[in-house]
Amino acid sequence: MQMTSAPHLLAEDGPEYERILGDALRHAHERPDLEGVGDRLNTEQLRTMALSATALITAAAATEYEHYVKARAELRRTSATAEGPDGIPAVDGPQSTAAGSGAGIGAVITVLTPLLAGTAAVIFLLVGYLLKAVSPSVAFGNSMVAAGWFFAAVAAAAILVAAVGLLVTALRNGTTSLAAEDEEQELPEEVARAREAWRHALLERGILPFLRDALADPTAGPAARTPHRSPNRIPRMGYSRPDFSGPDEGPAAGPRPTFTSPDFTSPDFGGPDHQPD
């Protein structure tokens, strides 16, 4: 975005720009000034044109965007002071270490128990059934088979516990994401006002005027069939052949000069007694 002091539209704000644009297009039928949507230009064509002119549209709200970015950066700097060196909220050292150790041991047990129990079950069952096939009268084979089925049950139970743990973790992460979204909604008053001011300016001074210009441009209809064409509001790149034309006014052209071949005549030669006149 071409601005003198404000930064370019940051990548994290791109989705917000697209969301505001989408809302404006979805509710275009509610605005009398956008009633032409669907006649020559449909919503997808207008969306493509507006996305191609992002820098032009967002420049209309450059001042509000600069203020919003500065307020948000200040909030992040303030929040960073309350966090640890790794960006984790600071807690007491022993409690943090104990929690990390407990989580690590639990994860190791959850992963290793099904693997070890399953391996033991296969070995015991294989050896037990092999002994029963070779020496059916030996009771040791039955003990091996019983141990194998026990470890198989342990492996199945461990797999079930691991699945439940993954489900609980997924639900917890979903709750955390919702909490983060709620926290985003509950920004400090200064940042919230700055963001709302930028959204309003972007819509009223950027997106809506662009859409009105696109719908009012009589040449935008055929051009919109090609997504990369844009209305007159967007600078067009290209070259046109210069228009050469003769002067409309000026002095009357004088007679065109003429040239005649010189009149050469042969010299009058005579005898030796003849003298030229």
Side-chain angles (χ1 to χ4, degrees), residues 156-220:
I159 292 174
L160 179 61
V161 171
V164 173
L166 290 176
L167 179 61
V168 171
T169 301
L171 293 176
R172 184 183 297 116
N173 290 339
T175 304
T176 304
S177 299
L178 293 176
E181 292 180 0
D182 293 339
E183 183 180 356
E184 179 70 17
Q185 296 293 334
E186 298 176 358
L187 291 173
E189 184 178 358
E190 182 181 359
V191 181
R193 285 201 308 266
R195 183 177 65 175
E196 188 60 30
W198 171 60
R199 289 174 175 176
H200 180 77
L202 181 63
L203 177 64
E204 297 295 333
R205 299 206 307 265
I207 294 177
L208 292 179
F210 178 88
L211 297 179
R212 286 194 293 266
D213 289 350
L215 293 172
D217 186 3
T219 64

Side-chain angles (χ1 to χ4, degrees), residues 7-29:
H8 294 273
L9 184 67
L10 301 177
E12 61 181 302
D13 297 319
E16 183 66 15
Y17 167 76
E18 296 181 10
R19 188 189 67 79
I20 298 174
L21 173 62
D23 289 342
L25 292 174
R26 277 193 300 271
H27 298 89
H29 63 280

Side-chain angles (χ1 to χ4, degrees), residues 97-152:
T97 304
S101 300
I105 293 174
V108 170
I109 293 176
T110 302
V111 172
L112 291 182
T113 299
L115 180 62
L116 296 177
T119 303
V122 171
I123 294 174
F124 278 102
L125 288 174
L126 182 61
V127 174
Y129 280 113
L130 183 60
L131 290 175
K132 290 180 64 175
V134 173
S135 302
S137 60
V138 178
F140 184 69
N142 294 329
S143 300
M144 296 288 288
V145 171
W149 283 115
F150 171 77
F151 282 111

